[in-house]
């Protein structure tokens, strides 16, 4: 039976460890392909690491990393036409708690065209940024893209398709809950249907196993880990914590500037007419990335500045969560 092995690669430690397993097991290079779904919301460090990883694959006799992206052109045009009809009084918005007014719709329609960045395009279509409860960015820009552009075509070609996934139960409490919340046994491999199988070879690994796999196979970790970042998928991700926002502002001021501009644009295409913020603070404060960055410099409670967090020149202990300081 023909078998296709497809690895979903994010640039993080777990998908990297999964790639190490595949190569250590000498999976046939003709049947193996690593694929990244680019949300176009990554830090340059991660894009550089993708290039390094691609070269690493080639050095081991495998195909270079394949990159796929969503195309939201038709969806943006449909949204623009909808807004134009409201602005012209030809249609009334009857959806949701907040409604489009002709004035807001006219303003949004002028901006509703592809920006060259699919993450920003999706936020404009939604009129907001993703949230902890609204995980549509991962679904639309990663999961759906991989399914539509990679996995389904592979299944249609016939045979068995193994979707290699760097998923670990021990990754985080949230991951453990999502995998074991039903109380059912979590399998390393399970059948999806149509010849597609999910394969999670590092499902029960701990963090030390992940680092050892990288060391053994000579694969470097994403440099963001050494800077103290806990997660490296998307730059930034909506799940970033207070410390991550502080690190982002210290090491990547250009990312803060990018978010500031994105907030301005998404605010202009929001039917609520309210400032849009990428990182809403838990207590309800924060109407923009600059205020959230200032909040990240405070001590617990968010009211007083912490000298260790304000002064980025002050020497501190290793910032890496895993002892990977530069």
């Amino acid at each position: 039976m023909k078998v296709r092995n497809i690895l979903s690669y994010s640039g993080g430690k777990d998908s990297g460890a999964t790639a190490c397993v595949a190569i250590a097991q000498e999976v046939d290079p003709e049947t193996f392909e690593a694929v990244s779904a680019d949300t176009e919301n990554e830090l340059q460090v991660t894009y550089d690491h993708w290039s390094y990883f691609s070269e690493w694959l080639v050095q081991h006799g495998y195909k270079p990393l394949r990159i796929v992206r969503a195309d939201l052109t038709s969806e943006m045009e449909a949204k623009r036409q909808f807004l134009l009809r409201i602005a012209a009084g030809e249609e009334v918005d009857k959806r949701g708690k907040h409604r489009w007014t002709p004035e807001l719709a006219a303003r949004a329609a002028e901006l509703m065209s592809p920006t060259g960045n699919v993450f920003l395009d999706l936020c404009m279509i939604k009129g907001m940024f993703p949230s902890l409860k609204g995980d549509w960015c991962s679904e639309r820009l990663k999961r759906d893209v991989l399914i539509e552009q990679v996995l389904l075509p592979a299944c249609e070609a016939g045979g068995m398709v193994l979707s290699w996934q760097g998923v670990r139960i021990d990754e985080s409490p949230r991951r453990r809950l999502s995998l074991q919340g039903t109380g059912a046994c979590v399998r390393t491999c399970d059948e999806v249907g149509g010849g597609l199988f999910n394969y999670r070879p590092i499902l029960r690994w701990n963090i030390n196993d992940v680092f050892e796999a990288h060391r053994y196979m000579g694969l470097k970790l994403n440099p963001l880990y050494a800077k103290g970042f806990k997660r490296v998928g998307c730059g930034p991700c909506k799940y970033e914590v207070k410390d991550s926002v502080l690190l982002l502002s210290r090491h990547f001021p250009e990312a803060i500037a990018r978010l500031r501009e994105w907030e301005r644009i998404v605010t202009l295409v929001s039917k609520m007419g309210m400032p849009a913020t990428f990182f809403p603070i838990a207590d309800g404060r924060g109407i923009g990335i600059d205020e959230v960055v200032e909040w990240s410099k405070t001590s617990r409670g968010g009211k007083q500045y912490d000298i260790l967090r304000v002064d980025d020149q002050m020497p501190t202990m290793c910032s890496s969560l895993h002892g990977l300081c530069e």
Side-chain angles (χ1 to χ4, degrees), residues 11 24 87-88 96 121 124 130 140 171 182 208 223 228 239 254 260 277 310:
D121 289 348
M124 291 174 66
R140 297 291 302 282
E171 178 183 346
T182 62
N208 292 327
Y239 291 117
E254 69 279 6
R260 186 184 301 119
T277 177
V310 172

Side-chain angles (χ1 to χ4, degrees), residues 185-200:
C185 177
V186 185
R187 299 178 180 178
T188 301
C189 186
D190 55 47
E191 183 175 5
V192 178
L196 176 63
F197 291 78
N198 289 327
Y199 181 44
R200 313 178 187 93

Side-chain angles (χ1 to χ4, degrees), residues 115-286:
T115 64
N117 184 288
V118 293
F119 183 87
L120 177 56
D121 289 348
L122 182 58
C123 293
M124 291 174 66
I125 292 171
K126 294 287 188 178
M128 66 182 73
F129 289 102
S131 65
L132 299 182
K133 294 183 178 179
D135 199 21
W136 38 263
C137 52
S138 296
E139 294 178 0
R140 297 291 302 282
L141 302 181
K142 289 186 177 182
R143 186 199 65 183
D144 292 354
V145 172
L146 287 170
I147 291 175
E148 295 169 4
Q149 298 186 29
V150 182
L151 295 176
L152 283 181
C155 290
E156 291 170 355
M160 178 180 178
V161 178
L162 281 180
S163 175
W164 291 60
Q165 302 171 2
V167 174
R168 293 187 301 115
I169 293 178
D170 194 42
E171 178 183 346
S172 66
R174 179 174 173 272
R175 176 70 74 181
R176 180 178 294 276
L177 180 63
S178 66
L179 290 174
Q180 296 187 317
T182 62
C185 177
V186 185
R187 299 178 180 178
T188 301
C189 186
D190 55 47
E191 183 175 5
V192 178
L196 176 63
F197 291 78
N198 289 327
Y199 181 44
R200 313 178 187 93
I202 66 168
L203 182 65
R204 291 177 173 80
W205 283 24
N206 60 39
I207 190 63
N208 292 327
D209 297 330
V210 170
F211 292 148
E212 176 60 21
H214 280 78
R215 186 201 64 77
Y216 181 79
M217 295 301 297
L219 176 62
K220 297 178 182 178
L221 289 163
N222 189 315
L224 289 174
Y225 289 118
K227 293 183 180 298
F229 286 87
K230 183 178 181 180
R231 57 170 58 249
V232 302
C234 284
C237 174
K238 60 184 177 296
Y239 291 117
E240 303 289 7
V241 295
K242 188 177 184 180
D243 288 346
S244 297
V245 176
L246 180 64
L247 289 170
L248 192 72
S249 66
R250 283 186 175 181
H251 296 291
F252 305 102
E254 69 279 6
I256 299 300
R258 169 167 54 87
L259 290 180
R260 186 184 301 119
E261 176 62 9
W262 284 5
E263 289 180 338
R264 183 188 70 82
I265 295 173
V266 175
T267 295
L268 292 174
V269 297
S270 170
K271 64 180 177 180
M272 292 180 284
M274 298 170 60
T277 177
F278 194 95
F279 290 120
I281 299 176
D283 63 7
R285 294 179 297 108

